Amino acid sequence: MVDKSLIDLSWDDFDEQRDPRPAGNDFDKVVDRAISRRGFLGGALAFGSGAAVFGSGLMSSTTAARAQGASGFAFTPIGIATDHEIHVPEGYAHKVLVRWGDALWSEAEGAYSPETGVSVEMSDKVFGENTDGMELFEVDGREVIAVNSEYVNPKINLPAASEGVPQSADEVTLLKNLQGVTVMEVTRGEDGYQVVKDSPLNRRITHETEMTLEGPLAGHALVKTNADPEGRTVKGTMNNCGSGRTLWGTYLTCEENFNGYFGATGAEPVGEGYARYGIGGEGRYAYEKFDARYDLSQEPNEPNRHGFVTEIDPADPTSTPKKRTALGRFKHENAAMVQASDGRVVVYMGDDERGEFLYKYVSNGTWEEGQDGGDLLDDGTLYVAKFNDDQTGQWLALTPETTGMDLPEILAFTRMAASAAGATTMDRPEWVAVNPLKAEAYVALTNNSRRGEGASNAGGDDMSVNAPNPRETNNYGQIARWTPEGGNHAADGFSWDLYVMAGNPAVYDNAYAGSENVTEGNMFNSPDGMVFSSDGMLWIQTDGDDDNEGDFEGMGNNQMLVGNPETGEIARFMTVPNGAEVTGLCFSLDKTVAFVGVQHPGGAWPDGEGAPRSSVVAVWREDGATIG
């Protein structure tokens, strides 16, 4: 029987149970060490030295910005909330677009019941659970949203008698079908946006959907299984977290905590790769009890076929999704694509685990408007970031020469390749966002409770404080940004700084108060999702501690904020129900509506009774103007 306690753990805690490591130092030493990080902060972590932390652009504007109370935004910033509702600024409105369990086709109308959830038969015909990254596309004049469903809550989905533990293959199938990706057409009517039921573009992609492995790892011995001796056809994309879009109009869904779906009913395989990726023991959902594909004792290579970026064509519901192995195998948060100066394609990616790394992929070929992607995501070089104390950095190519591994091994065990190359350990790199108006990119470093002297990641890499991650026991997180050398995203060199260090100035007056653009009026913790709007504003979503106590007193529920990259101002735009995180953001074609994901809410939101249901919410200005 699966350990019931696994079901209640967050994915971060699940990994911690798999690979526990000692905590950091006592708090006094933590503060002393953090404040003494003079090397890159110009002698003052006093978070009043804008040039040191943020770059010169903030120095002349910070005082005025504080005095004006974030006057540069087209909304009045809101306060915190601690209830089970959604709050937006005055002059804005919101409504739920779709909840998990809502029908995508007429035959599934009424399939969801507060008492029984969704039946197995209808589970692949409804909107999935725990919405995450999403993108909106135009397909022949229609608006189509592709949105991830990261994971499920078995205690809600399964009969109460099971305590959330699957008791049959059918119940496992139910859980498989409520995860993956939803592609759905949306349209605006008299009552705002709604899902178009029975649209020919609607599609569900689940853990059972057939897809192909592409790129250098396809067909290699590492990805061959009993069910697929050729190593080229795989079922399912899983734990779909962040997202991205290609220049040619397809959707990129990112596989994050794939390791938690595998377990062993017999002898477990051994090898460094399993330990580094947290694979072993019992699976989170007992898949291995009912499906040999997830049983490590029967299919030891199956985990090597997951942990990739998967490309989906939202315009063709008959198309086969493709796992792009050249982008590496790790816990992908999102995939931010941009074009380099010479026409090559660049994809930035974070690996969301404590002490893991920031990556980019650069294609060998170039792209021009009107072309499809071809093999651009199969033929290129993967790099990992090294941050220097002097606020410079290099992208280290992951090649046989730099890692001592052949190319298929680099792509299957990318974490080990990055360690061999000497990359900088980071505080859980989550979403990457690229500024559409200038050559710069941002990464959310959400938190790291294990950063400290003598600490290491799962591969043994040093996790003492470093320049972009300067605080031990980092419960608040920060956002780093970099400018590629020569304004070319394909360049090997970059300069970097910190856009913001989250913190609590109501509790601390030291490094843990945060940077100077954090005040008691906009404070937050654990930045996670990030999306730029077309006007160059950075929308920041949080997934942090919302108990509003202790170190987090006064922070309230998780929230979505807007940041101005030029002035450093940050203002709170939205709060979500207690227990939820904000995750996923895209805009209507005319930029007047924002679609926002609300994952794992508490209480009985949004129905007011029964089980909580993760949802996508539409937010708009009541005067019909562009949102922001």
Side-chain angles (χ1 to χ4, degrees), residues 250-442:
T250 56
Y251 183 63
L252 299 177
T253 183
C254 301
E255 300 172 357
E256 190 188 20
N257 293 296
F258 65 94
N259 60 306
Y261 294 83
F262 298 94
T265 61
E268 292 187 29
V270 295
E272 184 182 356
Y274 299 103
R276 183 64 184 271
Y277 285 85
I279 297 166
E282 289 184 306
R284 186 180 179 96
Y285 302 126
Y287 280 13
E288 71 273 17
K289 309 288 186 183
F290 304 99
D291 186 341
R293 183 158 61 98
Y294 295 89
D295 186 351
L296 297 170
S297 55
Q298 298 187 60
E299 292 285 13
N301 279 350
E302 185 66 29
N304 297 340
R305 295 145 62 87
H306 304 277
F308 296 105
V309 174
T310 298
E311 183 178 7
I312 298 168
D313 185 356
D316 182 3
T318 66
S319 60
T320 301
K322 302 179 186 300
K323 295 200 176 195
R324 300 296 188 181
T325 66
L327 275 61
R329 174 175 166 265
F330 46 88
K331 293 185 177 181
H332 286 275
E333 183 70 21
N334 83 314
M337 180 178 287
V338 67
Q339 193 166 24
S341 302
D342 61 3
R344 287 183 289 170
V345 168
V346 176
V347 185
Y348 290 113
M349 301 165 287
D351 183 355
D352 182 11
E353 190 170 314
R354 286 183 291 267
E356 291 299 338
F357 308 117
L358 177 68
Y359 297 88
K360 80 170 180 180
Y361 167 88
V362 181
S363 67
N364 288 330
T366 61
W367 180 82
E368 294 182 3
E369 189 73 36
Q371 294 180 340
D372 63 24
D375 67 350
L376 288 174
L377 295 183
D378 299 327
D379 179 23
T381 302
L382 193 60
Y383 296 80
V384 68
K386 179 178 177 59
F387 290 78
N388 301 319
D389 280 3
D390 63 359
Q391 292 185 264
T392 64
Q394 294 83 39
W395 290 102
L396 309 175
L398 299 181
T399 66
E401 293 73 27
T402 63
T403 65
M405 303 162 66
D406 64 30
L407 183 57
E409 289 175 328
I410 290 170
L411 300 180
F413 306 117
T414 308
R415 286 180 167 180
M416 287 118 83
S419 293
T424 301
T425 60
M426 306 293 281
D427 287 349
R428 292 184 58 198
E430 300 228 31
W431 284 67
V432 177
V434 180
N435 193 328
L437 303 183
K438 61 190 299 188
E440 65 178 15
Y442 294 63

Side-chain angles (χ1 to χ4, degrees), residues 37 59 232 297 421 530:
R37 292 296 295 175
M59 290 187 69
R232 296 184 178 275
S297 55
M530 291 194 307

Side-chain angles (χ1 to χ4, degrees), residues 98-115:
V98 63
R99 306 162 174 81
W100 86 262
D102 283 353
L104 300 174
W105 291 272
S106 296
E107 64 181 301
E109 191 70 48
Y112 171 80
S113 162
E115 292 77 28

Side-chain angles (χ1 to χ4, degrees), residues 131-146:
T131 175
D132 209 299
M134 66 179 106
E135 306 287 340
L136 185 141
F137 301 88
E138 182 177 12
V139 179
D140 298 328
R142 301 174 174 182
E143 291 181 282
V144 176
I145 295 177

